[in-house]
Amino acid sequence: MNTKFTSIALILATGLLAGTQALAGVTREQVQAELAQAIRTGDMPAPGDQGLKLNALYPERYPAKQAQASLTREQVQAELAQAMRDGNFMITDNGLLCNEVHPDMHPNV
C-alpha cells in the first residue's frame, strides 16, 4: 500500500516539475498577451462538451484568420511568367486554357 502511494506521488511530482520547467521561459507579460490574443480571436474553448473553440462555434463574432502566404512575391511572379509562356491560364468562361484554344501560340506545350 505504501509503495503504491509513493509511486503515485512520484509520478505526480514528476509531472508537475516537468510542467513548471516548460513554463519557466515564458514571462507573465507574454502569457497575458497570449491570453488577450486568444480572447480577441475567439481561440478559447467553448463551454460544454462539444470540444469546439469560440471562433468555430460563433464565427460571426470574431475576425477571420488571415491566410499566410507560402510563396514570396518573386516566386508568384515567376510562376505567372511561366504560365504566360506555356499558355497555362484560362481565357474563356468554359474553362479552356490559352494553350488549348491557341496551340500555335504555345509550341512548347
Side-chain angles (χ1 to χ4, degrees):
M1 176 78 170
N2 195 15
T3 307
K4 197 184 264 187
F5 176 74
T6 306
S7 298
I8 292 172
L10 182 61
I11 291 170
L12 290 175
T14 304
L16 290 174
L17 183 61
T20 56
Q21 288 175 347
L23 294 177
V26 181
T27 67
R28 180 178 178 89
E29 290 76 24
Q30 288 172 324
V31 171
Q32 289 175 337
E34 288 176 12
L35 176 61
Q37 176 74 13
I39 291 171
R40 188 171 44 257
T41 62
D43 201 19
M44 301 284 293
D49 295 332
Q50 297 175 349
L52 296 174
K53 293 188 177 183
L54 289 172
N55 55 11
L57 197 57
Y58 306 108
E60 68 279 357
R61 294 183 184 176
Y62 300 98
K65 290 185 178 181
Q66 297 293 322
Q68 297 293 327
S70 59
L71 298 175
T72 65
R73 181 178 177 87
E74 290 76 23
Q75 289 170 325
V76 171
Q77 289 175 339
E79 285 185 8
L80 175 61
Q82 183 66 40
M84 295 293 284
R85 281 191 299 273
D86 294 343
N88 195 17
F89 58 92
M90 287 196 315
I91 61 168
T92 62
D93 291 337
N94 61 2
L96 293 176
L97 298 176
C98 182
N99 59 15
E100 295 170 339
V101 176
H102 304 289
D104 55 322
M105 291 176 57
H106 308 282
N108 295 338
V109 180

